[in-house]
Amino acid sequence: MPLHIETPLLESRALSLGAKRPIWLKLEALQPPGSFKIRGIGHACTEYVRRGAKRLVSSSGGNAGIAVAYAGRHLQVPVLVVVPETTSARAIELIRQQDAEVRVHGASWQEANALALSLIGETDAMLHPFDDPLLWQGHASMIDEVARTGLKPELVVLSVGGGGLLCGVLEGLHRHGWQDVPVLAVETEGAASLAAAVKAGAPVELPSISSIATSLGARQVCDQAFDWTSRHPIQNLVVSDQAAVDACLRFMDDHRLVVEPACGASLAAIYDHAELLLSYHSILVIVCGGVTATVQQLQHWAQPLPAG
Ligand SMILES: *Cc1c(COP(=O)(O)O)cnc(C)c1O
């Protein structure tokens, strides 16, 4: 039994009317731990435990850490998540709700990750949030589900952080012979590590992350994500934080679902960029989800900054 669920694929009337073409939503926000991450992480954790891992370790204070904690609880294996001091109380609470041990350490992810790595014993498995072929294999299952419904989209829209979701979706598309289905890869300003890599001709490290879409905040994409850009038609789009947050709030009204700005970025591509969609008839949006932003937080972010 996989740890993820088969998610609904539905046509959004509201988004379709706005874009004047069918917009299909793959509702990964409905995964039990709240994001698509459980597909890849669930697959990887299951495999590591099968190979003998006695404990699972993560250094993500976001949806990846929550997914590892969820996987460990279901596999009956202890989980340690080391998170930096910047992690919200809410994210820590969500990890603890899954019975995982949380250690708060260091000013940034780099330090939390270094401590996690130093604690890894021989029978521990360390779960990377986006750079592991097992993750991509697991994420690809969402495209298997789409293919089984008989829908072949003409464009896939998704968000890119470190590129794990992108690699998984592309693996799924190629598995079904859909090499001809282009992907619109959306990032936010201040977290656009794939757009920077494409511009530089190689993965490059952003000096810092300044977007509120923290789940897109990988300073550098994985090599595999960059490699795909020369093997598959991938178009880059970078939207503002404001556009991503506004899209979250509109989506809440349209679909009664709360998602993070990381996911709102993809939705903003549909709400605000009709011109990019003109040559495609049916469009699939991966509604990647995310649980670390509350409604109140989204509404707060949507307020215009005070002048001065
Ligand atoms: C992790 C995550 C992303 C980005 O996925 P990558 O595999 O890092 O590119 C996007 N949205 C949400 C909600 C996430 O949790």
Side-chain angles (χ1 to χ4, degrees):
M1 274 286 283
L3 296 175
H4 64 264
I5 62 163
E6 175 159 355
T7 53
L9 173 68
L10 51 88
E11 192 197 330
S12 166
R13 192 65 190 142
L15 274 78
S16 298
L17 284 172
K20 299 191 179 67
R21 62 211 65 233
I23 304 292
W24 291 87
L25 306 176
K26 187 64 174 154
L27 290 179
E28 292 301 298
L30 297 178
Q31 290 293 348
S35 80
F36 76 95
K37 287 253 175 27
I38 189 59
R39 288 189 187 263
I41 294 216
H43 179 62
C45 290
T46 303
E47 182 57 23
Y48 291 133
V49 168
R50 193 188 65 76
R51 292 179 196 170
K54 298 279 183 276
R55 184 172 72 153
L56 303 168
V57 181
S58 164
S59 56
S60 159
N63 297 303
I66 296 165
V68 175
Y70 178 90
R73 186 164 65 80
H74 285 265
L75 295 166
Q76 296 179 301
V77 175
V79 173
L80 169 64
V81 185
V82 185
V83 301
E85 284 147 13
T86 49
T87 309
S88 69
R90 173 177 161 83
I92 291 172
E93 173 61 20
L94 288 167
I95 298 168
R96 291 211 168 112
Q97 276 179 9
Q98 301 294 346
D99 300 338
E101 181 191 345
V102 180
R103 267 184 76 169
V104 181
H105 175 83
S108 72
W109 175 80
Q110 273 77 9
E111 286 139 47
N113 188 54
L115 177 66
L117 289 172
S118 76
L119 297 172
I120 293 286
E122 254 181 37
T123 56
D124 292 337
M126 178 84 183
L127 277 295
H128 195 281
F130 55 82
D131 194 3
D132 180 341
L134 286 172
L135 293 181
W136 312 330
Q137 222 176 58
H139 295 335
S141 61
M142 72 181 78
I143 300 301
D144 297 338
E145 291 172 15
V146 174
R148 271 205 296 278
T149 69
L151 172 78
K152 182 183 175 187
E154 291 183 7
L155 175 73
V156 179
V157 179
L158 52 74
S159 299
V160 174
L165 174 60
L166 175 74
C167 291
V169 165
L170 287 166
E171 185 169 326
L173 293 176
H174 283 242
R175 187 187 281 169
H176 292 278
W178 292 355
Q179 292 88 337
D180 57 330
V181 178
V183 170
L184 180 62
V186 191
E187 299 171 286
T188 48
E189 287 162 13
S193 46
L194 182 66
V198 168
K199 192 166 171 222
V204 286
E205 196 172 312
L206 300 177
S208 65
I209 297 295
S210 55
S211 171
I212 55 162
T214 48
S215 294
L216 303 186
R219 284 168 60 187
Q220 185 169 333
V221 288
C222 59
D223 289 346
Q224 177 83 348
F226 176 73
D227 290 348
W228 272 115
T229 62
S230 57
R231 282 188 281 140
H232 193 95
I234 297 173
Q235 200 185 334
N236 290 93
L237 173 66
V238 179
V239 303
S240 66
D241 277 353
Q242 183 76 52
V245 170
D246 288 348
C248 290
L249 293 172
R250 285 179 72 176
F251 190 69
M252 248 166 63
D253 287 337
D254 286 339
H255 283 279
R256 292 96 42 210
L257 279 172
V258 182
V259 298
E260 286 180 16
C263 178
S266 282
L267 299 169
I270 309 293
Y271 283 126
D272 303 335
H273 291 276
E275 78 283 358
L276 293 178
L277 315 175
L278 289 177
S279 42
Y280 309 103
H281 183 246
S282 71
I283 296 166
L284 172 68
V285 184
I286 307 298
V287 183
C288 49
V291 293
T292 66
T294 60
V295 174
Q296 199 189 8
Q297 179 75 74
L298 290 169
Q299 284 167 339
H300 173 75
W301 278 324
Q303 301 300 318
L305 290 174

